[in-house]
Amino acid sequence: MTIRNRWFLLFAGLISLAMVATVACGGGTSSADKTATAGAGSGGAKTPASGSPTTGGADMAPADQQKMIMQLGEPQFYDPHRSNFEQDIAVERFLFRGLYNLTDDGKGGVKVVPEMAAGDPTISGNDYTVKLKPGLKWSDGKPLVAADFVYGFQRECDGKVASPYQGLLGAGLGELKGCDELFGNKDEAQTQALTDALGVKAPDDTTLVFTLNKKVATFTTIWSLWATFPSRKDVIAQFGDKWTDPANIVVNGPFTLTEIVAKDHATLKPNPNWGGQKPALQQITIKFIDDLSAAFRAFQNNELQMTQILATDSTVAKENSSLKPQLQVIPSARISTVEVQMKDPVLGANGAADDAVKKAFNLRLALSHAIDRKTLVDAVYDGVHTPATYWLVKGLTGYQGSQAFDSKIGFDKAAAQKALVDAGYPGGAGLPAITIIYRDSPERRNEADFLVKAWKDIGINVTPQFVDSKARSAAFNSEQFQLFQGGWQLDYPDAENPLVGLFDTGGGNNHYNCSRPDVDAAFKDAASATTQEARLKAYQTVETDIVTNLCGIIPLYQDALPYMVSSKLGGVVANGTIDAGGPGTFCVECWFIKK
């Protein structure tokens, strides 16, 4: 496809998303990505020099008061090449930075700007040359050089590391030459040759040359994501999986990790060798809190300066004159779902005989038809979210909406009962035990209770299993689930992002193991499309197939995320489009405590 056509599609989607977010925020700052071309960043805001003052000026409290406490779920990993959950990614954005970054554009959206890169890439054919800023360092004072980025890309493409985001760099997205071949390699004797053949080289300490299979219009956007962060080969060789322990970790972002207390908190302090805007905050404590009711109480007791809260608690906050100004309800580019393990012999029957596959589909259809999504949203979330039977979020170019899918998978109790009969379990008779994994919080327990009752009403008995954030992530990544409360938050606003790698056979984030020949064929059509209309049509074909066949997902609602942000905390720019794991942009170095 041509860069121009692909950019036209992306730009249209970004403008649409920006309009939706701005209106829904009541005119506040949103986070629609408006520049994601290979030339993005030209004329954009420059990263301030090391030691320059942080935004806040006279309104900023003294340094000894620059400490904040925030809520997150506990990360499974602090390694950006192994992560795919937002609590991991949020912390990794504090610790690491890539060649490019997504930042607020001052007009209600975000833009791509150079971060470790000195500027935009120089493009010659399929070669993209990126120069690094001079004088970059790791947190231990050693120079950050181009070879560290090369090693980061080698890790991302290494099948032994098993990054769930490798597909971001593979065919159909990043198109990094040799990445798919290295990731899929099973012959140890070939590993070094495939590593050497990977399409990223460092001819000197400040130059990177990327060789792609073809031109990629979203190069700087994809190269801003955590999968492209650099890594220190000597540290990982010395410490192995323990390289991210506080005593061992070296980082290149604005903060470094100084403490982890499992199931309680992590502590971050400024990286003394960070070369960008000097952080005002002298300490960030991240409390691992899954119970958002408890987090809301902690916020009211001045024990937290930032936290996600329950949708029902957002109603409480709106009615409180002191809390209301601190409430941010952010429209989110996220769909929440019940995810289905397609390898399960009852729910998916992958690889089984046609009759078993058909029975499994009808069981999934019964589960979906039994869910009254509007009542779920109203009863459990006070109407904050939007009921959804779609996957491509509202505001994104390619959005088809519930009108396209309600009649196929939406609430219909009679259809649910019939589907259960067609599955061979009339009234639930003979149906084996089914479990669903949920993060343990009051709101999630209420959602689980609603779904369990809806399913029981047609004869399906489902037992919820409540676990903490870290255990939930591990269960998904190890594919140890039947049903799983999950979803997808856009990493960048293009229809490819919630589809490629999630539903293609063997995709890095396809841990529900959806595998359909028609879907794989449509992905190939999208990759080879020469017009934006053809590319969009192919992705809509993928969405239609996965939704109507409930291949790994049963959509529930499009989220709106309520957060409390202390009036004493400045520099937080609302952002609901990209996977920040919080209410703000990725610029944690912009945050400060006010006087």
Side-chain angles (χ1 to χ4, degrees), residues 222-505:
I222 293 175
W223 262 244
S224 75
L225 302 178
W226 55 97
T228 68
F229 288 174
S231 293
R232 273 277 292 279
K233 187 174 185 178
D234 59 324
V235 174
I236 294 174
Q238 181 178 357
F239 297 110
D241 288 345
K242 293 187 178 296
W243 79 269
T244 57
D245 288 359
N248 307 329
I249 194 169
V250 291
V251 300
N252 74 314
F255 286 84
T256 190
L257 183 65
T258 61
E259 179 187 37
I260 300 173
V261 178
K263 298 186 180 297
D264 191 79
H265 74 276
T267 304
L268 283 65
K269 293 188 177 180
N271 171 7
N273 290 303
W274 164 244
Q277 177 174 310
K278 184 178 179 181
L281 293 173
Q282 298 304 297
Q283 180 173 299
I284 299 175
T285 302
I286 301 172
K287 294 289 291 183
F288 304 143
I289 303 174
D290 288 332
D291 184 345
L292 297 184
S293 288
F296 186 45
R297 292 192 297 271
F299 181 88
Q300 294 176 80
N301 292 331
N302 297 316
E303 297 167 8
L304 295 172
Q305 283 76 54
M306 179 189 293
T307 183
Q308 187 176 353
I309 64 171
L310 300 177
T312 49
D313 283 335
S314 69
T315 302
V316 175
K318 289 175 185 176
E319 296 172 352
N320 183 299
S321 59
S322 63
L323 293 175
K324 184 176 179 180
Q326 302 177 94
L327 172 67
Q328 294 187 12
V329 181
I330 302 171
S332 173
R334 173 185 172 87
I335 296 289
S336 285
T337 64
V338 170
E339 296 178 356
V340 186
Q341 181 51 252
M342 297 297 289
K343 291 194 301 185
D344 185 88
V346 176
L347 290 163
N350 269 359
D354 289 348
D355 183 59
V357 170
K358 185 176 181 180
K359 288 176 63 177
F361 163 71
N362 279 302
L363 177 55
R364 298 194 302 276
L365 189 60
L367 290 166
S368 184
H369 276 318
I371 303 169
D372 185 341
R373 292 161 175 81
K374 185 178 188 310
T375 300
L376 166 65
V377 166
D378 290 344
V380 176
Y381 298 107
D382 279 4
V384 168
H385 306 314
T386 301
T389 51
Y390 53 89
W391 181 250
L392 295 182
V393 294
K394 184 177 182 179
L396 187 65
T397 296
Y399 167 75
Q400 299 187 83
S402 289
Q403 65 273 14
F405 303 112
D406 272 351
S407 63
K408 304 288 181 60
I409 68 166
F411 176 58
D412 185 333
K413 185 176 178 180
Q417 292 169 326
K418 180 181 184 302
L420 196 55
V421 171
D422 293 341
Y425 309 110
L431 182 61
I434 299 174
T435 59
I436 184 168
I437 292 177
Y438 262 90
R439 189 182 72 181
D440 193 3
S441 72
E443 193 168 52
R444 293 306 189 192
R445 282 181 175 267
N446 289 340
E447 179 180 298
D449 184 59
F450 182 96
L451 294 180
V452 166
K453 288 180 178 177
W455 292 328
K456 187 176 180 61
D457 195 38
I458 63 166
I460 301 176
N461 291 312
V462 178
T463 301
Q465 297 177 343
F466 299 102
V467 298
D468 62 27
S469 292
K470 185 175 181 179
R472 174 175 167 269
S473 301
F476 180 77
N477 286 323
S478 63
E479 302 179 358
Q480 299 301 305
F481 65 91
Q482 290 182 289
L483 300 177
F484 181 91
Q485 176 270 318
W488 185 260
Q489 160 76 37
L490 287 186
D491 303 312
Y492 58 96
D494 186 273
E496 68 189 19
N497 179 249
L499 295 173
V500 180
L502 282 82
F503 299 100
D504 42 327
T505 300

Side-chain angles (χ1 to χ4, degrees), residues 486-542:
W488 185 260
Q489 160 76 37
L490 287 186
D491 303 312
Y492 58 96
D494 186 273
E496 68 189 19
N497 179 249
L499 295 173
V500 180
L502 282 82
F503 299 100
D504 42 327
T505 300
N509 279 307
N510 187 356
H511 288 299
Y512 23 76
N513 292 290
C514 175
S515 180
R516 293 185 57 79
D518 289 349
V519 168
D520 292 339
F523 277 126
K524 290 181 179 179
D525 290 342
S528 62
T530 57
T531 67
Q532 60 104 350
E533 291 86 0
R535 177 174 175 267
L536 179 60
K537 182 178 180 181
Y539 283 137
Q540 288 177 323
T541 296
V542 171

Side-chain angles (χ1 to χ4, degrees), residues 580-591:
T585 63
F586 296 136
C587 191
V588 65
E589 62 270 32
C590 298
W591 301 355

